[in-house]
Amino acid sequence: MSYTALYRKWRPDSFDDVKGQDHIVTTLKNQIISGRVGHAYLFCGTRGTGKTTIAKIFAKAVNCEHPVDGSPCNECASCRAIQAGANVNVVEIDAASNNGVDNIREIRDEVQYSPAEGRYRVYIIDEVHMLSTGAFNALLKTLEEPPSYVIFILATTEAHKIPITVLSRCQRYDFRRISLDTIAARLRELTDGENIQIEEKALRYVAKKGDGSLRDAISLLDQCIAFYYGQKLDYAKVLDVLGAVDHEMLGQLLLLALAGRTAEVIYKLEEIVMQGRELSQLVTDFIWYLRNLLLLKSSDMDADALDVSEEDLKQLADIAASVSEETLMRYIRVFSELSNQIRYGTDKRVPVEIAFIKLTRPSMEQNLDSVLQRLEQLEKRVQEGAAVSYPAAAVTVSAQDAAQSAEPEEKKEIVLPKAQLDDLNLVRSEWNRITGQLGGAARVALAGSQVEPVQDGVMCIVFQDAGTYLIGARPSVLEQVRDYVNETYQKSFEFKARQKGANEAAGTVYVSRDELEEAFHMEISMPEE
Ligand SMILES: [Zn+2]
């Protein structure tokens, strides 16, 4: 037996089965009952809200031999022919693939002749905003003087792309996004009808994932059923199939970020990606998770209101207690910006990593929220009894700075052989380009690093902190840097890595003996002038 997708199998064939669009259904039924059918309709709204379903029911109803209360009877010859797709009076056109003038001219030629049988010829043009300008003009000609037996139903997700001249000739119906409750109720009808066991919480989760689209929700349900065929679907199974990031994982990510453990956050992220999780989804889930924490902090929410299990609620409450509202707001802001940024981007990994690094290192951001969070971290550390130093220039947050508070070392000047200095200067001047060709986390980690000489043919990459060191000092990264340098500049260098000391002075000056002598000479000769 062949498998029919639930969405097709359960597509409503009468108005009464259509969910969530009562205002539209009522109007259309009344038109049929009173015999006042229009010639051009525009159905607008997000995908999966029932536009084509209602268009088809309407097409059946206007041709039905004995409609019942405005709905098609689904029994007469006309109804059954349309149902089977065998009726020439109902023509469905996908404007996404038939968007040229010729496609519309064909229609214009056809509508010259009245239907041989049945009352109306109905053209359902889906994704109508995809029509070319020429096609729209051709369509407009027909809409201006439509034969009495022709009905156009134009469906679109983007009404703003329809020319005003066309809009003004249509009765417009705006399809609403379908509510969570309505979608959940429909899913329940389906699962009951198909004898599928599914936990209520799991079902509501699928409904929520549909995000206002019944069709999407049903397709998601279909995926879950196919994956766990014959088994009862519970929350965990549904989460697993839909690639959602569970609360435990989100909690771990958040706690690592709060603790400033950059490298571990990046590893965790890598683990999540390796499991095949989709990054846009992770970002959406993480925002939702932060939002739940914020709600928990600001009011008494129960598990149902947050759409989480009792266990998850307990865990959420614990985490919510350990993080301030200001920090949550800042995290949500960082991730909302990220969510806009990655929407159209092909490379999502790097922006997601950078956003997490931003969370772990508030010092990267200069605005008020992050200053507050830095102060909060310092206060906490003082309470825990650590010796905290407040450098004059900036409030720093890394643990080493707090633990060791000796005086900074003096800036050094080191003399190098000429050839070694040239090599060093070459690599330093090209450093941005060299690090820029690395991928993912490595590029981010190396962005703030410096290069220092070790010996002829050996250089060391100095990382600013433990987080970037852990990522950038991996052998695979050092090999990539070496290979790129060797190939691009025909130089065979080896690269090592170390973490910058807590009190190490920045900006050691390297000079060659020649330069040094020249400088001495200048200094000696200057007072003589
Ligand atoms: Zn009928």
Side-chain angles (χ1 to χ4, degrees), residues 230-249:
Q231 297 181 42
K232 178 174 177 165
L233 288 169
D234 60 20
Y235 188 51
K237 285 185 181 131
V238 164
L239 281 180
D240 186 36
V241 178
L242 300 186
V245 180
D246 53 50
H247 280 90
E248 199 182 328
M249 186 184 286

Side-chain angles (χ1 to χ4, degrees), residues 393-405:
V395 184
T396 53
V397 291
S398 91
Q400 275 127 352
D401 288 342
Q404 309 166 15
S405 55

Side-chain angles (χ1 to χ4, degrees), residues 115-313:
E117 48 186 62
R119 251 167 292 168
Y120 291 98
R121 183 171 286 148
V122 185
Y123 292 91
I124 302 169
I125 308 183
D126 207 5
E127 304 291 342
V128 70
H129 61 273
M130 304 287 278
L131 289 183
S132 67
T133 312
F136 266 127
N137 288 335
L139 179 64
L140 187 62
K141 291 238 164 65
T142 318
L143 291 179
E144 273 165 354
E145 279 175 56
S148 60
Y149 46 84
V150 170
I151 298 173
F152 282 98
I153 302 175
L154 314 178
T156 181
T157 48
E158 293 172 65
H160 60 277
K161 289 187 179 163
I162 314 285
I164 187 89
T165 44
V166 172
L167 279 178
S168 66
R169 309 228 162 240
C170 298
Q171 289 182 30
R172 175 173 170 156
Y173 293 84
D174 287 296
F175 282 63
R176 295 181 183 143
R177 288 156 64 89
I178 304 170
S179 76
L180 179 60
D181 285 341
T182 307
I183 294 180
R186 181 66 178 164
L187 293 184
R188 188 47 82 189
E189 276 178 41
L190 259 80
T191 50
D192 286 352
E194 297 280 326
N195 271 325
I196 289 155
Q197 304 278 306
I198 180 167
E199 201 183 80
E200 180 64 17
K201 199 163 120 56
L203 183 127
R204 289 193 69 86
Y205 185 79
V206 175
K208 196 175 89 183
K209 283 279 148 184
D211 193 25
S213 162
L214 185 57
R215 182 174 58 209
D216 286 358
I218 296 176
S219 302
L220 294 173
L221 180 66
D222 231 353
Q223 285 176 33
C224 297
I225 294 167
F227 203 86
Y228 285 105
Y229 193 74
Q231 297 181 42
K232 178 174 177 165
L233 288 169
D234 60 20
Y235 188 51
K237 285 185 181 131
V238 164
L239 281 180
D240 186 36
V241 178
L242 300 186
V245 180
D246 53 50
H247 280 90
E248 199 182 328
M249 186 184 286
L250 293 171
Q252 285 171 353
L253 272 176
L254 177 65
L255 290 176
L256 288 172
L258 285 169
R261 285 148 76 177
T262 313
E264 286 165 78
V265 171
I266 301 296
Y267 284 144
K268 187 85 208 162
L269 213 52
E270 192 160 323
E271 198 185 306
I272 294 170
V273 172
M274 295 297 275
Q275 289 168 352
R277 307 279 185 174
E278 214 276 308
L279 280 175
S280 309
Q281 190 60 51
L282 172 72
V283 171
T284 312
D285 289 345
F286 197 60
I287 295 174
W288 193 254
Y289 181 77
L290 296 170
R291 166 242 183 226
N292 278 354
L293 288 175
L294 198 59
L295 284 176
L296 265 178
K297 281 195 88 70
S298 44
S299 58
D300 279 336
M301 304 291 287
D302 59 16
D304 281 345
L306 294 179
D307 214 7
V308 296
S309 69
E310 289 293 339
E311 282 160 53
D312 286 343
L313 184 70

